[in-house]
Amino acid sequence: MDYSVIKEGDLFLLTDRNGDITGNNEIGHGLYTKDTRFLSRMEVWIDGDKPSLLSSAANQSYVASIRLMKDTKDVGAIEAVRDRFIFGGVLYERIALTSYYPETVSFDFSAAFDADFQDMFLVRKYRTGEVGSITGRSMEPQSLTIRYSGADNIARETRIRWDKPETEASDSGLIRFSITLQPKETERICFTVAPMLDGQAGTELSYEEGLERLEASYRRWDAETARATSDSEAFNGLYRRGLQDLRMLMTDVGYGDMPVAGLPWFAVPFGRDSLITSLFMLPLDPGKVRGTLRTLAAYQGTAVDAWRDEEPGKIMHEIRFGELVATKQSPFSPYYGSADATPLFLVLIGEYFRWTGDLSLAEELKPNIERALAWIDAAMLKSGFLAYRQEAEKGFPNQGWKDSSNSIVHRSGEYASSPIALSEVQGYVYMAKQGMAPLFRLMGDDALADRLEREAGELRERFERHFWMEDEQFYALALDQEGRQVGSVTSNPGHLLMTGLPGAARAARTAERLTADDMFNGYGIRTMSAEAAGYYPMSYHNGSVWPHDNAMILLGLSRSGYREEARKVISGLLAASTYFEYQRLPELFCGYGSELGYPVPYPTTCSPQAWSAGTSVVFMQAMLGLHPDALTKRIAIDPLLPEQLNELFVERLAIGAGHLSLRISRGGAGSEVKVEVVQNTTGFEIIHKAE
């Protein structure tokens, strides 16, 4: 990455690799919370010169260490190490200055800070609008405060403090220290930056105490989640990175922790992204998805509002908290332009129950479930399929996960006209109704349960009739406003395997086509066939490879018993992961074939990205072939191992009333995979289908 980013809670810091936020930068570096930039400048100098970068590391997602130097050739150097983290709503940065001169040396160390309080949409040039202004700056010994009065009548402040008396300072934000060091001597200066909204700020601790509390929270996360280890360091590294990134991306906006979409620009609750990530996280600890469901229930649509694409019962797409949203200059308060978030909300509730047997959450959210079902039924009333059309002037034209404007394209290259019914969305609706039926039966509403099962069956029959393409032996991407098939071969129908909608024969053809050469590039399944008119490998949605898209397909391949296809996908993505920094699967990468010898990075991606981080957890679940069902009190096990692994040990899978630990192994490539049940306190029976 050409940037450094760390996050904790609702606060994240984005800088260049040197650790600086340069004033007037066009990239958007800064310290952000509530979609507002509370620090727009943070630079350091030694004797008036910028020190040179030696290394920039973020091996742990939650801390960053940047090593710099200012040298005199063939004489010596001053080393500056910038260690930083965020905890409790406060940024901590400790700068260690060490002399590597043979004699005593004196020098100036200076730092500059500023805050512009710009809304993130303005920083990214996505919007323009009327905003507030800076109202004051206060410089005191070892402290600088910058104040802003917003057009939304919220007072914002940035308070910067340091633990060493300055030599000179001005309210412009320039702070100078005179340093004298003996050879090998080190001087440390710790800065804290605390954003404040209406006078409220995080509690500042010592650097050491803040770091210990942060690290303790990660130790708790590790202790609470399933552990997976193997004889492959590639998988072990990917799994560790995924879990660490998922922990970093958890945020609580008042209803419990949930994964935000990704850094740097999507550190907010989403519908689709947070739900899919939470679906992936079920094997880690099902309890950790409750915050996602409660947050989305709290923001469920209540009115018809075309400005925000809102309708009663609809689950939001994305929420923002900045000045433009608060003053109604942007519709993201929240914005509801998503066709899939509402059925996915129901899918996650159903899957949560299958892992836990906990009906209380469904009972708590029953009014939200009923409103979501009512919205789906109303949206399907005209065509029999769940379709979308953009209503909000500043909303999204395409409202599935492939939301770019050119992503829904006919074989001819013509863009589809809305309303558009996406194939995978119909699968989510089918899975949602099938999943909700037994829960309503348990809650005493047999009539509604029967109706949902009947409607799911009718949807399945309609879907098979309208979406199947005989010439391609594959499902259409979508139906357009005239009911015409959007016939480009894409990855979207791959999600259907997870939902259980396709019959056995068509499911087999779907799995086969997804892993054919035109779709599988050696590292993963492309978003579009290389033979399609709309394909190009460096596209965002029309030929690139998205790890989360592959993970959704992988869940279906595993659930449907397509082990060879699942093995192929895991092997490819695992190989690809070794080429990316920190072995972090990116949001997406280009669709060029593996004959190049390496995956080609996409130029602009979010990293870390929540649903990409969760992909490693899906690998673990798919290798176990593990699918619990609290309705039958059974756990299906259908294991496989990709070519890179001969052993996998998974501990503390939280299922039912307890935990499950399993070891799967084989003697070598092609050998039978053996299963050892190390612990089972779940109360569920294990059903093992031997490979």
Side-chain angles (χ1 to χ4, degrees), residues 46-47 78 99 101 103-109 178-182:
I46 296 174
D47 281 338
I78 300 297
S99 172
Y101 284 92
E103 298 176 346
T104 301
V105 63
S106 296
F107 59 93
D108 281 341
F109 173 76
S178 295
I179 309 290
T180 299
L181 296 176
Q182 302 298 320

Side-chain angles (χ1 to χ4, degrees), residues 39 41-42 111-115 144 146 160 172-175 191 193:
L39 201 62
R41 189 183 189 194
M42 182 173 68
F113 297 88
D114 202 358
L144 168 65
I146 307 170
I160 304 151
S172 66
L174 184 63
I175 306 148
F191 294 91
V193 183

Side-chain angles (χ1 to χ4, degrees), residues 121 295 313 316 387 402 404 429 676:
F121 285 132
T295 301
M316 74 171 184
K402 294 177 181 175
S404 54
V429 172
E676 177 188 356

Side-chain angles (χ1 to χ4, degrees), residues 84-390:
R84 54 176 55 156
F85 65 89
I86 294 167
F87 182 74
V90 178
L91 167 67
Y92 296 80
E93 172 149 338
R94 186 173 66 186
I95 302 176
L97 299 161
T98 302
S99 172
Y100 288 98
Y101 284 92
E103 298 176 346
T104 301
V105 63
S106 296
F107 59 93
D108 281 341
F109 173 76
S110 53
F113 297 88
D114 202 358
D116 62 5
F117 302 96
Q118 279 201 10
D119 186 291
M120 186 181 288
F121 285 132
L122 295 176
V123 173
R124 300 182 65 202
K125 298 180 173 56
Y126 273 23
R127 299 279 189 273
T128 58
E130 299 295 324
V131 296
S133 60
I134 302 288
T135 57
R137 300 170 185 265
S138 299
M139 174 63 71
E140 299 177 2
Q142 297 179 229
S143 175
L144 168 65
T145 301
I146 307 170
R147 300 180 181 85
Y148 177 87
S149 178
D152 54 1
N153 297 316
I154 295 176
R156 296 173 173 86
E157 299 180 26
T158 300
R159 185 179 65 211
I160 304 151
R161 292 178 175 169
W162 48 96
D163 64 355
K164 176 182 172 61
E166 68 275 11
T167 304
E168 183 182 336
S170 70
D171 61 9
S172 66
L174 184 63
I175 306 148
R176 188 171 67 84
F177 304 88
S178 295
I179 309 290
T180 299
L181 296 176
Q182 302 298 320
K184 310 298 190 295
E185 184 181 6
T186 299
E187 178 86 33
R188 292 179 175 84
I189 305 171
C190 183
F191 294 91
T192 60
V193 183
M196 304 172 67
L197 286 94
D198 282 336
Q200 301 297 311
T203 301
E204 294 181 34
L205 307 168
S206 69
Y207 181 94
E208 293 76 14
E209 183 178 0
L211 182 57
E212 169 54 31
R213 291 194 186 186
L214 178 62
E215 290 178 333
S217 74
Y218 274 79
R219 289 193 295 270
R220 285 193 300 274
W221 172 268
D222 288 342
E224 293 165 356
T225 53
R227 183 179 182 215
T229 54
S230 76
D231 61 338
S232 164
E233 189 47 45
F235 172 76
N236 295 343
L238 179 67
Y239 190 80
R240 286 195 302 268
R241 171 60 54 187
L243 263 62
Q244 203 175 95
D245 284 349
L246 286 169
R247 162 60 185 82
M248 178 177 65
L249 292 168
M250 300 300 280
T251 297
D252 184 354
V253 296
Y255 306 93
D257 278 342
M258 69 181 296
V260 298
L263 295 177
W265 305 124
F266 300 98
V268 292
F270 271 68
R272 173 192 311 119
D273 300 57
S274 298
L275 286 163
I276 288 176
T277 303
S278 295
L279 189 67
F280 294 172
M281 288 172 57
L282 286 168
L284 287 184
D285 176 7
K288 295 196 181 302
V289 313
R290 289 193 289 259
T292 300
L293 292 167
R294 287 177 173 136
T295 301
L296 295 176
Y299 287 105
Q300 188 173 26
T302 59
V304 175
D305 183 355
W307 164 246
R308 301 188 300 164
D309 277 330
E310 180 185 7
E311 294 170 351
K314 201 173 183 183
I315 297 299
M316 74 171 184
H317 168 67
E318 175 184 358
I319 188 168
R320 294 287 176 170
F321 301 96
E323 193 174 358
L324 294 186
V325 165
T327 53
K328 302 188 186 305
Q329 298 178 76
S330 170
F332 287 77
S333 60
Y335 173 63
Y336 290 86
S338 165
D340 49 8
T342 307
L344 283 169
F345 173 75
L346 301 175
V347 165
L348 183 60
I349 293 172
E351 291 301 292
Y352 169 82
F353 176 81
R354 288 183 179 275
W355 279 81
T356 65
D358 173 20
L359 189 62
S360 65
L361 186 62
E363 291 172 332
E364 172 191 335
L365 300 178
K366 185 179 178 183
N368 306 95
I369 294 170
E370 291 172 338
R371 288 195 290 269
L373 287 167
W375 177 80
I376 290 171
D377 288 345
M380 295 177 67
L381 194 59
K382 185 174 182 180
S383 67
F385 298 110
L386 181 52
Y388 64 83
R389 178 200 294 273
Q390 175 188 352

